[in-house]
Amino acid sequence: QVQLVESGGGSVQAGGSLRLSCKASGYSYSRACMAWFRQAPGKEREGVATICSDSSTTYADSVKGRFTISKDNAKNTLYLQMNTLKPEDTAMYYCAARVWGGMFPEYPERPLTPAEYNYWGQGTQVTVSS
């Protein structure tokens, strides 16, 4: 029932920008935390940024000051604005959600850890050339 669909990936030169989108359905943002993860070939999946229903955010050190996570509750969409892209940002980017059914929030103890999330999108490729 919960579905996440990413879009906005592509190829860009170093120093450029991209905005990723994640359209969500089947749940309410008021009962979820959402996140962006990325995985490069041969490497482990790593957390990039997270945002919860209270709008609190968490960023990986490698993207602080360059990436911004945001959400539009009316459109049920998550965004990742990526500026000053570097070749090391090249990866498959995944949208993820941690959804709770109760009234009170259930925030992840380790928000940048993949195991904290219940649902995942199919991914969108970002390639940054030097």
Side-chain angles (χ1 to χ4, degrees):
Q1 186 173 22
V2 175
Q3 295 183 356
L4 305 172
V5 181
E6 303 98 329
S7 62
S11 297
V12 65
Q13 292 185 324
S17 299
L18 285 173
R19 189 183 74 160
L20 306 183
S21 298
C22 174
K23 181 68 172 65
S25 62
Y27 70 96
S28 172
Y29 278 120
S30 66
R31 291 182 171 84
C33 291
M34 301 191 73
W36 289 99
F37 289 81
R38 65 187 182 185
Q39 187 168 21
K43 300 185 67 176
E44 295 291 322
R45 187 168 299 187
E46 63 174 345
V48 176
T50 71
I51 186 167
C52 288
S53 56
D54 62 355
S55 295
S56 61
T57 59
T58 303
Y59 292 93
D61 289 341
S62 60
V63 306
K64 287 181 179 178
R66 299 189 298 121
F67 291 10
T68 302
I69 188 170
S70 62
K71 57 186 174 70
D72 186 330
N73 290 349
K75 296 181 178 180
N76 221 32
T77 301
L78 177 74
Y79 301 99
L80 184 67
Q81 179 65 47
M82 305 185 293
N83 297 326
T84 318
L85 283 162
K86 304 175 180 179
E88 50 262 46
D89 295 319
T90 295
M92 184 74 74
Y93 283 71
Y94 297 91
C95 175
R98 176 184 175 93
V99 181
W100 54 83
M103 178 183 299
F104 301 102
E106 299 175 4
Y107 298 116
E109 295 181 355
R110 305 177 68 180
L112 295 175
T113 301
E116 295 277 15
Y117 296 85
N118 308 111
Y119 302 98
W120 295 82
Q122 83 290 344
T124 185
Q125 178 67 40
V126 171
T127 302
V128 184
S129 60
S130 60

